[in-house]
Amino acid sequence: MSRVFQVRQQAPAGIAVLLACLWGCTGEKEGASPPPAAKSAERPAEPGSPASALHFVEVAAAAGLTRFIWCGRPGKDHLLDSAGTGAAFLDYDRDGRLDLYLVNGWRLAGSAVAERGRNALYRGLPGGRFQDVTEAAGVAGEGRWGSGAFAADVDADGWTDLFITTFGSNLLYRNRGDGTFENAAGRLGVECPGWNTGAAFFDADGDRDLDLYIAAYIDCAIEEVLKAERTLDWKGIDKVAFGPFGLKGARDHFFLAGAEGKFTEAAEAGGLVDLALGFGFAVRAGDYDNDGDLDLYVANDSDANYLYRNEGQGKFTEVGLWSGCAFNAGGAAQASMGVAAGDPDGDNHLDLFVTHFSEDYSTFYRNLGGGFFDDVTAKVGLAEPTYRMLSWGAVLADLDNDGDQDLVVLNGHIYPQVDLHPEQGQAYKQRNQLFENRNGAFVEVTGQAGPGFRIVLSSRGLAAGDYDNDGDLDLLMTSLDAPPLLLRNDSRCGAWLTVQLEAPKGQSAIGSRVIVTAGGRRQIRDLAVGESYLSTHDPRLHFGLGGAERAEKIEVRWPDGSVSVRTDIPARQFISIHQGEN
């Protein structure tokens, strides 16, 4: 949540990155140079381009989602006041309908706590409505100032659990299978007192259980938050919340799952030590080098991002600099908030999109294969339209079922004071953005995308999921000091398939990769927990098929290396695939 250090002379990407690494934090603190012709926050579709089929309608209140999400003081005197919270789609009761979980913060009045917000679990009902079951389920948040929501079957008993990161002590709500949960974080060793943010459950060491990485932001106490004053000079015209520069970063955590479900801190043994004490926000596990094991990407605010390459047996090497995804093409560390992974260019490699602060573009890293990345943000049309926005949650998803992945980006400033200075071209509440994938490039269609994208808030968390089971992906959003948004997808969509993976009891399907071949196109998706900004998407993997009414093949590559194959599958259905069954 800060301006970036900028390498002032543009150099070839490799040289600039090396210079940035050598210079570290001795460079001058200033905003990144704007991309060519950076003129407006929203770029219209190219003249003569076809109108978008994408259309979204906001239905949260009508669907029964009413929980107000608090985020500190109105003036946002401390960075915690403006960090916001995440959300998760899950199916906690295994009834085939998506439920959702919303994380809440506190409401402050000066240095006093006026209200401790309560998290909310909503059970999905027939007809696309939701019922608040928070109290009965016992998952209100224990009065903690919440950050992120991560849904996974942590103990592999067949029931989805909830891990909630917080400013304080984390919560691990173990699903009892009867509609109720118990907080087992203390017993299992993952409370990690501090300011915890993003997290990822994944099998780091190949033993078929879920390990856990937790990012952390700033090392501070609640007393510092309550007493905070706006002392940072913003452009010489106003005072805003101080940090993160000048504050100490908090150390990330890595845990290996062990006996009786307990977790053991293993960052040093595994090579996952947060040496730079980066200001960590988003985490995304994935097989970025296609070698069959899961690597880990960590988005750090104003510091180099980490890419931990999995060397096998639970050992990792940090290779972000040499892989090309630690800095942007100019060799600058950016203020990374959220991350989305996907394959929008259809080359069967996982690309990365990382969101950043205003007056700096959000970065699209194309995966070149072999674990190497290239910043191609300008080439794919994202440099100019993301430059003025302050961006958070993001998702790469096929929203119109045409066979390629589109992009949604949530926006909102951290300083309410910017509204007092409109001549600076910034606003506290900002429009979220929708980019349609057209032949591997992104065209902004926000203005054509219906009333759901006309709402202006300071948004943060984003989760994608088909909550009404109609074959297209809807969008769940959180914002500062506002109720949630639920954008129902009413787009003109093509055919589709949604794949649900079922692993044997005692194992997890997280980390599996699914390849669908249909209509001459080969698409990949991977099952991950922890993405976007502090959020978790629908655990079912969605594929748009365009005009194809059948898929020639579905191939599942499970975490243990085994493969399941289905052939000649009719479109427009939810299909469950069990490991070991063909």
Side-chain angles (χ1 to χ4, degrees):
M1 291 189 288
S2 170
R3 304 286 289 278
V4 303
F5 286 109
Q6 172 72 10
V7 177
R8 300 178 70 84
Q9 298 294 325
Q10 289 297 312
I15 297 174
V17 166
L18 181 58
L19 288 172
C21 180
L22 294 173
W23 291 353
C25 290
T26 61
E28 182 179 350
K29 182 182 178 184
E30 64 180 31
S33 299
K39 297 178 181 178
S40 65
E42 180 181 335
R43 184 181 63 174
E46 296 296 328
S49 61
S52 175
L54 293 163
H55 189 86
F56 289 83
V57 177
E58 207 290 304
V59 297
L65 307 180
T66 58
R67 187 63 56 97
F68 198 90
I69 299 172
W70 293 109
C71 300
R73 290 156 285 218
K76 308 306 175 192
D77 302 337
H78 191 277
L79 290 182
L80 182 62
D81 293 340
S82 56
T85 61
F89 278 119
L90 69 157
D91 183 4
Y92 82 93
D93 53 2
R94 300 182 59 177
D95 66 353
R97 290 186 294 269
L98 284 183
D99 315 301
L100 59 88
Y101 191 83
L102 298 169
V103 182
N104 217 327
W106 292 1
R107 181 168 64 90
L108 303 182
S111 61
V113 179
E115 181 179 349
R116 299 187 182 213
R118 298 175 69 78
N119 301 348
L121 175 65
Y122 286 95
R123 179 172 180 261
L125 303 174
R129 288 187 54 79
F130 292 90
Q131 176 188 8
D132 188 336
V133 295
T134 310
E135 301 306 322
V139 291
E142 321 289 318
R144 313 279 166 83
W145 189 318
S147 296
F150 308 95
D153 184 2
V154 177
D155 51 9
D157 65 352
W159 297 92
T160 300
D161 310 301
L162 277 164
F163 180 65
I164 313 302
T165 56
T166 75
F167 182 92
S169 297
N170 298 325
L171 305 165
L172 202 170
Y173 285 123
R174 192 184 71 83
N175 191 336
R176 294 189 178 106
D178 61 358
T180 67
F181 294 75
E182 62 170 338
N183 178 23
R187 175 169 57 85
L188 299 183
V190 292
E191 285 188 311
C192 308
W195 186 349
N196 302 288
T197 53
F201 283 100
F202 69 115
D203 183 3
D205 53 1
D207 64 355
R208 302 188 189 183
D209 55 22
L210 291 179
D211 309 303
L212 174 63
Y213 188 97
I214 306 171
Y217 193 59
I218 289 173
D219 186 1
C220 65
I222 188 62
E223 290 77 17
E224 297 171 69
V225 175
L226 296 177
K227 295 178 181 178
E229 296 181 355
R230 300 191 299 271
T231 59
L232 180 65
D233 185 70
W234 183 69
K235 297 190 176 187
I237 58 176
D238 215 329
K239 298 294 184 181
V240 296
F242 184 80
F245 292 118
L247 300 174
K248 181 182 178 182
R251 190 175 299 280
D252 296 354
H253 301 274
F254 172 64
F255 295 95
L256 285 174
E260 300 179 354
K262 293 184 178 179
F263 290 88
T264 301
E265 180 79 49
E268 185 171 354
L272 289 154
V273 178
D274 180 11
L275 292 174
L277 294 181
F279 305 119
F281 265 140
V283 184
R284 178 51 154 91
D287 186 2
Y288 296 112
D289 51 8
N290 285 355
D291 67 349
D293 53 28
L294 294 177
D295 313 298
L296 191 75
Y297 189 77
V298 182
N300 291 315
D301 179 7
S302 306
D303 291 310
N305 300 321
Y306 302 145
L307 178 61
Y308 292 106
R309 184 180 65 207
N310 194 331
E311 310 290 4
Q313 305 299 315
K315 306 294 184 182
F316 292 79
T317 302
E318 204 291 298
V319 296
L321 172 64
W322 308 114
S323 294
C325 56
F327 302 110
N328 67 10
Q334 297 176 279
S336 302
M337 271 66 140
V339 61
D343 183 27
D345 54 2
D347 65 355
N348 297 149
H349 296 289
L350 284 178
D351 305 313
L352 289 164
F353 177 77
V354 186
T355 58
H356 299 304
F357 205 81
S358 59
E359 299 182 2
D360 188 15
Y361 62 85
S362 292
T363 309
F364 185 87
Y365 293 106
R366 175 166 288 154
N367 191 329
L368 304 177
F372 293 98
F373 293 83
D374 187 23
D375 176 356
V376 296
T377 311
K379 293 179 182 177
V380 299
L382 291 171
E384 179 184 333
T386 64
Y387 176 75
R388 290 201 179 277
M389 315 305 283
L390 202 166
S391 302
W392 302 85
V395 64
L396 287 161
D398 190 350
L399 299 173
D400 51 7
N401 291 349
D402 65 351
D404 56 30
Q405 290 182 306
D406 310 297
L407 174 67
V408 178
V409 184
L410 298 199
N411 301 309
H413 217 288
I414 66 172
Y415 307 142
Q417 294 75 27
V418 301
D419 286 345
L420 302 176
H421 310 280
E423 74 281 358
Q424 297 298 318
Q426 291 293 318
Y428 177 63
K429 296 180 179 180
Q430 301 178 2
R431 211 181 211 189
N432 299 321
Q433 292 173 290
L434 175 58
F435 298 91
E436 186 176 342
N437 187 337
R438 295 184 182 173
N439 300 315
F442 292 96
V443 175
E444 183 168 5
V445 295
T446 306
Q448 307 175 43
F453 277 90
R454 297 191 196 114
I455 298 168
V456 180
L457 294 167
S458 191
S459 297
R460 296 295 185 266
L462 169 64
D466 185 1
Y467 84 91
D468 49 5
N469 284 346
D470 65 349
D472 54 37
L473 290 174
D474 312 293
L475 303 169
L476 174 65
M477 304 174 176
T478 66
S479 302
L480 301 189
D481 305 310
L485 301 177
L486 180 62
L487 271 56
R488 188 184 66 213
N489 191 339
D490 288 349
S491 306
R492 300 189 302 275
C493 289
W496 55 277
L497 273 175
T498 298
V499 179
Q500 181 165 329
L501 301 178
E502 300 285 352
K505 191 172 183 179
Q507 299 182 35
S508 175
I510 291 171
S512 299
R513 178 170 290 194
V514 177
I515 306 101
V516 168
T517 304
R521 189 193 301 260
R522 193 169 182 262
Q523 302 181 56
I524 67 166
R525 304 283 188 272
D526 68 327
L527 182 58
V529 170
E531 193 176 331
S532 183
Y533 179 72
L534 310 180
S535 298
T536 305
H537 302 309
D538 189 337
R540 305 168 300 183
L541 300 178
H542 178 85
F543 296 82
L545 304 184
E549 290 297 335
R550 307 187 77 81
E552 292 93 66
K553 184 168 71 170
I554 300 176
E555 180 180 347
V556 182
R557 298 179 183 177
W558 300 93
D560 65 358
S562 63
V563 177
S564 298
V565 177
R566 298 279 185 91
T567 58
D568 192 26
I569 308 100
R572 305 179 190 276
Q573 65 166 314
F574 294 84
I575 181 169
S576 293
I577 299 180
H578 295 255
Q579 187 173 0
E581 297 180 5
N582 281 317

